[in-house]
Amino acid sequence: MAKINNNFLKLKAGYLFPEIARRVNAFAEANSEANIIRLGIGDVTEPLPEACRTAMIKAVEEMGDRSTFKGYGPEQGYAWLREKIALHDFQSRGCEVDASEIFISDGSKCDTGNILDIFGNDNAIAVTDPVYPVYVDTNVMAGHTGAANDKGEFEGLVYLPITAENNFTAEIPDRKIDLIYLCFPNNPTGATASKEHLKAWVDYAKSHNSIIFFDAAYEAFITDSEIPHSIYEIEGARDCAIEFRSFSKNAGFTGTRCALTVVPKTLKAKAADNSDVELWKLWNRRQSTKFNGVSYIVQRGAEAIYSEEGISQTQALVKFYMENAKIITEQLTAAGLQVYGGVNAPYVWVKTPNNLSSWDFFDKLLQTVNVVGTPGSGFGAAGEGYFRISAFNSRENVEEAMKRITEKFKM
């Protein structure tokens, strides 16, 4: 009989969001009259920007004409999209990123997992706690960890608590770490990292020959001009960091799928014989072998984000969701709840009232006011006693959800 990858069996609990869906579906089936408002998963609700839709329609029409039809595209992405990304997202901020160092993909979630293909099994790996579950689960699946303890922490991973006490920014380790996951603006806490904090991480990584996996999926939501949008705004980051970005939230591409990963050509790691190997070459080979690229139609839609109309329309989308975040933050704070995030990020991190556990608060919200959020403990042990609320929804739903919650839980 064929053998399975036994590492999957270490994932004893279901992935966080499917577990939320299971509980919500069970409640909905038993309470068909309930008007459930979902502020849990970070999925967008507003339509794709008109500039993107127009570009995609034109691209579809091109696919119907033999003279303009496109078949397989470059696995790394079309040059015209990569060049616009390099110019607008990086070079305009003083970042030394060339278009050839940008790889277009179908999601930063996918890339943060797939990047492990080019790294060995004997690296010391650090994640923040709480953390986006994909970082942990993909390492478990790849066999980089041992079993989980009673708190859900996996042997072999180094957990860096981010709490109110340290302003939700991870402290620099006192030991050597090889691979470090950082996400700012942070999912789930909504915290941001200053230039000084990122500089400390870059200095640490360079002194220990570490690699930082920097997830900047929410950089478009930064409103503070002092907060860096890219780790490459920090001197030396090209020698120690890979950056992941997404069009999912700023342009509403969650159902369309388009993202990017930056692998600088100056970035190196060690082979088994202790020789230096360029990571760009390995990632390029990995993508060329395992990925056929994002569709021409979608990439044309992504390119339109950088047009004058696209920039204006995506900025309006970001502003809309950040106004939702402001409503959530202000109303929950006025109700007496302890609230973090929601200023430079679309997520609001709430301390659960009356010492309720994260899942107890989830069930209470669902059952009493029919509102869905995300239990903090689902993001790690340090997330226990917290709750994430997403600003990705309609204004009507956000206002109604806040009315229900504040009336029920006013302190």
Side-chain angles (χ1 to χ4, degrees):
M1 184 177 290
K3 302 294 192 297
I4 64 164
N5 177 353
N6 251 50
N7 293 306
F8 277 70
L9 301 183
K10 299 174 187 174
L11 299 167
K12 296 178 181 178
Y15 180 54
L16 173 61
F17 298 111
E19 173 60 17
I20 290 173
R22 185 192 68 77
R23 295 192 186 205
V24 173
N25 291 339
F27 177 81
E29 288 177 8
N31 301 271
S32 57
E33 76 292 345
N35 176 21
I36 300 173
I37 298 176
R38 292 169 169 82
L39 299 176
I41 191 169
D43 196 3
V44 296
T45 57
E46 304 309 295
L48 286 172
E50 183 180 358
C52 299
R53 301 197 307 269
T54 300
M56 293 169 81
I57 290 169
K58 182 175 183 293
V60 169
E61 291 172 348
E62 290 177 21
M63 298 296 274
D65 187 320
R66 182 177 287 108
S67 66
T68 54
F69 173 80
K70 298 290 188 297
Y72 291 124
E75 295 92 347
Q76 301 81 5
Y78 286 98
W80 36 260
L81 175 56
R82 300 162 83 191
E83 288 164 3
K84 284 188 169 59
I85 292 168
L87 175 63
H88 289 272
D89 289 343
F90 296 101
Q91 294 164 9
S92 66
R93 295 188 177 278
C95 302
E96 188 186 341
V97 172
D98 186 77
S100 64
E101 298 173 317
I102 295 169
F103 294 79
I104 307 301
S105 75
D106 56 350
S108 55
K109 171 183 178 179
C110 308
D111 283 357
T112 56
N114 292 335
I115 198 70
L116 295 175
D117 281 2
I118 68 172
F119 289 94
N121 294 325
D122 53 355
N123 289 300
I125 301 168
V127 297
T128 58
D129 181 11
V131 67
Y132 183 42
V134 172
Y135 308 158
V136 172
D137 289 359
T138 51
N139 273 287
V140 175
M141 293 170 180
H144 297 166
T145 76
N149 62 21
D150 293 339
K151 294 194 297 181
E153 297 171 333
F154 285 91
E155 178 189 352
L157 292 182
V158 176
Y159 290 85
L160 307 173
I162 53 176
T163 64
E165 288 70 32
N166 61 19
N167 201 29
F168 298 104
T169 53
E171 297 179 10
I172 305 297
D174 57 4
R175 54 168 288 192
K176 185 182 185 304
I177 303 294
D178 299 304
L179 303 177
I180 303 156
Y181 289 83
L182 296 179
C183 173
F184 291 107
N186 186 252
N187 178 16
T189 68
T192 54
S194 66
K195 288 181 180 178
E196 293 73 21
H197 186 67
L198 289 184
K199 179 65 165 60
W201 273 111
V202 168
D203 289 346
Y204 170 88
K206 291 188 68 175
S207 66
H208 290 85
N209 294 318
S210 310
I211 301 293
I212 296 172
F213 296 151
F214 190 73
D215 189 345
Y218 301 97
E219 61 80 28
F221 296 89
I222 294 173
T223 57
D224 187 338
S225 60
E226 295 299 310
I227 296 173
H229 288 244
S230 169
I231 197 165
Y232 301 121
E233 294 180 48
I234 310 302
E235 184 179 357
R238 283 183 55 84
D239 300 322
C240 64
I242 293 172
E243 182 165 309
F244 306 91
R245 289 199 180 196
S246 172
F247 297 115
S248 286
K249 306 308 196 300
N250 67 326
F253 273 51
T254 54
T256 313
R257 310 310 301 148
C258 197
L260 62 113
T261 292
V262 180
V263 183
K265 291 183 177 179
T266 52
L267 194 58
K268 297 178 181 179
K270 293 291 185 183
D273 63 2
N274 209 38
S275 63
D276 290 338
V277 178
E278 295 177 17
L279 293 178
W280 183 93
K281 291 182 178 179
L282 298 185
W283 184 244
N284 186 59
R285 178 59 187 269
R286 189 269 172 205
Q287 292 298 83
S288 298
T289 302
K290 288 190 173 185
F291 186 55
N292 258 349
V294 175
S295 79
Y296 171 74
I297 297 164
V298 169
Q299 290 191 62
R300 280 299 186 193
E303 180 194 27
I305 292 170
Y306 300 99
S307 67
E308 185 176 344
E309 299 82 4
I311 290 171
S312 174
Q313 290 161 15
T314 53
Q315 286 176 345
L317 272 180
V318 168
K319 181 181 179 183
F320 174 82
Y321 290 124
M322 288 310 297
E323 287 171 348
N324 280 352
K326 183 178 180 182
I327 291 169
I328 295 168
T329 300
E330 289 181 348
Q331 294 205 20
L332 294 183
T333 300
L337 294 171
Q338 249 181 295
V339 177
Y340 306 91
V343 178
N344 292 289
Y347 295 123
V348 179
W349 191 240
V350 183
K351 187 78 177 71
T352 58
N354 305 318
N355 294 317
L356 287 171
S357 74
S358 296
W359 278 106
D360 284 347
F361 189 57
F362 172 90
D363 289 333
K364 195 172 186 68
L365 276 184
L366 175 62
Q367 294 164 12
T368 61
V369 297
N370 307 151
V371 173
V372 177
T374 310
S377 60
F379 297 100
E384 179 55 77
Y386 289 91
F387 198 76
R388 193 192 76 175
I389 297 180
S390 167
F392 295 114
N393 214 304
S394 69
R395 184 61 46 77
E396 178 184 5
N397 278 349
V398 166
E399 290 177 341
E400 173 61 24
M402 291 307 102
K403 179 184 176 184
R404 295 182 194 176
I405 293 173
T406 54
E407 287 179 354
K408 180 69 178 178
F409 293 96
K410 192 172 183 64
M411 304 296 285

